[in-house]
Amino acid sequence: MQPSPAEIARTLAAGHLPAVAHIACRPGPIPVRHVTDAQGRVLLLVPSEGTLSAALRPQDGNEDTALVLDIRDVPPMAVSPSLGRVWVSGWAVKLDGDDARAAALDYADTDACGDLLDIGESQALFRMEVAEVRWERSEKIVEVDPDAYAEATPDPLRAVEFDLIADLADHHMAEMSDYVRRQLGKDALPDDDPKVVRMDRYGFMVRMGTRSARLAFPRPVTDRHDLAHLLHPILCRRCCDSAA
C-alpha cells in the first residue's frame, strides 16, 4: 500500500516545507510561512507590515484575495527520490479576534513559534479556503479532489523522516539489510547493499545501486513510537528469539 495523491498533497502542504505564494495581480512569487489545519485549510503567518501583507490586502470591493501556494518537496537524503510538488489554490482572508486566536492554536499544533504571541500587533494570520489542489511528480500533474484532500491526513513520519533514516543507517544497517534481503527473496542479488531512502506510514523505499524497491509495513503506523514498536522484531531479532 502507498500514500494516495490526496495524502501526499496534505503531507507536502502540512507546513514542514518552504513555500512561496503567487498572489493575484501582484508580482511574485513571495516566500510565506504557513501550516494547514485539521481541515486542510492553509494558515499564513504574515508580518503586519511588508510586501506580503500588502499583497494579501483585498482589492476594492472584495473581502478576500486569490492566491496559489507552491510547495516543493525537500527529500531527506541526496539519494532520496522527491515526492514532487503541490499547488494549493484558494482565497485568503485576514483573521481577527476569536477567529485569529483559534487559528493561532491550530498553527501552534504544527509550528509553535514565538511570533504567534504577536498576532494582532507585528504579526497577522490569514486563512485560505482551498478550492483546487494539483500534485506534480515526474512531469505528470494529478488533479486532487479538494474534498479528498480535506479528508486526508499528513504523514505522521514526514517531520522526522531524516532522523529515522539516519538512525537506521548509523545503527541498524546490518539488520535492515538482512530484513530487505529476506523480503526480496530471489529478487535480491548477492552484491546488493540495500539502503533506506524514504519512509512513510505505509512502508519504506530501499535503493540498491540503480535498483529500488518498496516494502510495506504490516499495517500503517500512527507515529514514531508506533513505528519503533513495529520495527522492534526486525531490528532486535536476537532479543525476540531469546524471549521466545
Side-chain angles (χ1 to χ4, degrees), residues 193-206:
D193 183 20
K195 292 181 174 61
V196 178
V197 294
R198 294 238 56 153
M199 185 175 292
D200 57 55
R201 77 183 88 190
Y202 296 112
F204 56 92
M205 177 178 289
V206 294

Side-chain angles (χ1 to χ4, degrees), residues 1 7 34 68 155 182 186 215 230 238:
M1 191 173 183
E7 288 175 319
H34 82 288
V68 178
D155 191 278
R182 294 199 309 272
K186 63 181 181 180
L215 301 180
L230 187 146
R238 282 179 293 182

Side-chain angles (χ1 to χ4, degrees), residues 122-141:
S122 64
Q123 301 290 323
L125 266 178
F126 289 75
R127 182 164 59 210
M128 183 177 81
E129 299 292 341
V130 176
E132 183 180 74
V133 181
R134 292 177 296 156
W135 171 50
E136 178 190 2
R137 189 177 189 183
S138 302
E139 300 183 352
K140 295 181 180 179
I141 295 179

Side-chain angles (χ1 to χ4, degrees), residues 106-156:
D106 289 336
Y107 198 105
D109 285 341
T110 298
D111 181 12
C113 60
D115 285 342
L116 292 171
L117 300 175
D118 295 323
I119 291 174
E121 298 179 3
S122 64
Q123 301 290 323
L125 266 178
F126 289 75
R127 182 164 59 210
M128 183 177 81
E129 299 292 341
V130 176
E132 183 180 74
V133 181
R134 292 177 296 156
W135 171 50
E136 178 190 2
R137 189 177 189 183
S138 302
E139 300 183 352
K140 295 181 180 179
I141 295 179
V142 176
E143 299 285 344
V144 178
D145 180 77
D147 291 334
Y149 162 86
E151 292 172 1
T153 56
D155 191 278

Side-chain angles (χ1 to χ4, degrees), residues 88-118:
V88 182
S89 307
W91 289 268
V93 62
K94 185 178 178 181
L95 301 176
D96 296 302
D98 291 342
D99 288 340
R101 285 188 285 273
L105 294 176
D106 289 336
Y107 198 105
D109 285 341
T110 298
D111 181 12
C113 60
D115 285 342
L116 292 171
L117 300 175
D118 295 323

